[in-house]
Amino acid sequence: MPAKRASPSVLLTGFEPFEQELLNPSWEAVRTLDGWKCGRATVHARLVPCVFGEALDALDRAMDELQPTLVICIGQAGGRAEFTPERIAINVDDARVPDNLGRQPIDVPVVPGAPAAYFSTLPVKAIVRELRAGGVPASVSNSAGTFVCNHLFYGLMHRIATHAAAAKGVRGGFIHIPYLPAQAARFPGAPSMALETLVDALRITVKTALAVKQDVAETGGQLH
């Protein structure tokens, strides 16, 4: 009798709070889905530090442990009003503020000698389409910034491109999400998104990423 195949693993990561915040919506949303079954796949949530270098170490440990087929990293983008899958990660750390250990790299590569950029291998436009159909404000983002979010995103895509994950067809990417209402209350006029909506959006994202191998060809660009 043939051995039973192990169910696929999906890794979701969220960040710890940073810059004097008491919580981070990425972790609050991601941890809600730890253990969730999406078809045959099981979702695993992992917390990563908002620290250059250590964020990538945490990601590497989680990927070594779980051997996921899909990795989606989530980060906070205060000021954004939509759920925004990122299109591209760039090979530069340029921190406007220090990370949680006081590190503030300026104009240094995430990975010396590596390519200037990597594209996400998530179906970002299909994800946006399905989110909008589900009533979630969403759009494709063409800049993940130059802080720890982009650092983690680039490190993920570099690992996928250069490690054994590439041969196994592992896919991954990064998504920025808005403040939670409790955070936005401290910044009058700042947009926010309810935790329930964020969790629903993550469910739609995982389902779409598992089902759609070739992204849809429809507009998602910006003028600036």
Side-chain angles (χ1 to χ4, degrees), residues 16 65 130 134 198 223-224:
E16 65 184 1
E65 171 200 352
E130 294 305 311
L198 291 172
L223 292 180
H224 54 77

Coordinates of all heavy atoms in Angstrom, one line a residue, residues 16 65 130 134 198 223-224:
E16 N 6.5 41.4 14.9 CA 6.2 42.0 16.3 C 6.0 43.5 16.1 O 6.3 44.1 15.1 CB 7.5 41.7 17.1 CG 8.7 42.4 16.7 CD 9.9 42.1 17.5 OE1 9.8 41.3 18.4 OE2 11.0 42.6 17.2
E65 N 11.9 24.1 9.2 CA 11.1 23.2 10.0 C 9.8 22.7 9.3 O 9.5 21.5 9.3 CB 10.6 24.0 11.2 CG 9.5 23.4 12.1 CD 8.7 24.3 12.9 OE1 9.1 25.5 13.0 OE2 7.7 23.9 13.5
E130 N -9.8 38.7 -6.4 CA -10.7 37.9 -5.5 C -11.0 38.7 -4.2 O -12.1 38.5 -3.6 CB -10.0 36.6 -5.2 CG -9.9 35.6 -6.3 CD -11.2 35.4 -7.0 OE1 -12.2 35.0 -6.3 OE2 -11.3 35.5 -8.3
G134 N -14.7 39.8 -2.8 CA -15.1 39.5 -1.5 C -15.4 40.7 -0.6 O -15.6 40.5 0.6
L198 N -9.3 41.7 8.0 CA -7.9 41.2 7.6 C -7.8 39.7 7.6 O -7.2 39.1 6.7 CB -6.9 41.8 8.7 CG -6.7 43.3 8.6 CD1 -5.8 43.7 9.8 CD2 -6.0 43.7 7.3
L223 N 0.4 55.2 -12.1 CA 1.1 56.3 -12.8 C 2.3 56.8 -12.0 O 3.2 57.3 -12.5 CB 0.1 57.4 -13.1 CG -1.0 57.1 -14.1 CD1 -1.9 58.3 -14.2 CD2 -0.4 56.6 -15.4
H224 N 2.2 56.6 -10.6 CA 3.3 57.1 -9.8 C 3.4 56.4 -8.5 O 2.5 55.6 -8.2 CB 3.2 58.6 -9.6 CG 1.9 59.1 -9.0 ND1 1.5 58.9 -7.7 CD2 0.8 59.6 -9.7 CE1 0.3 59.4 -7.5 NE2 -0.2 59.8 -8.7

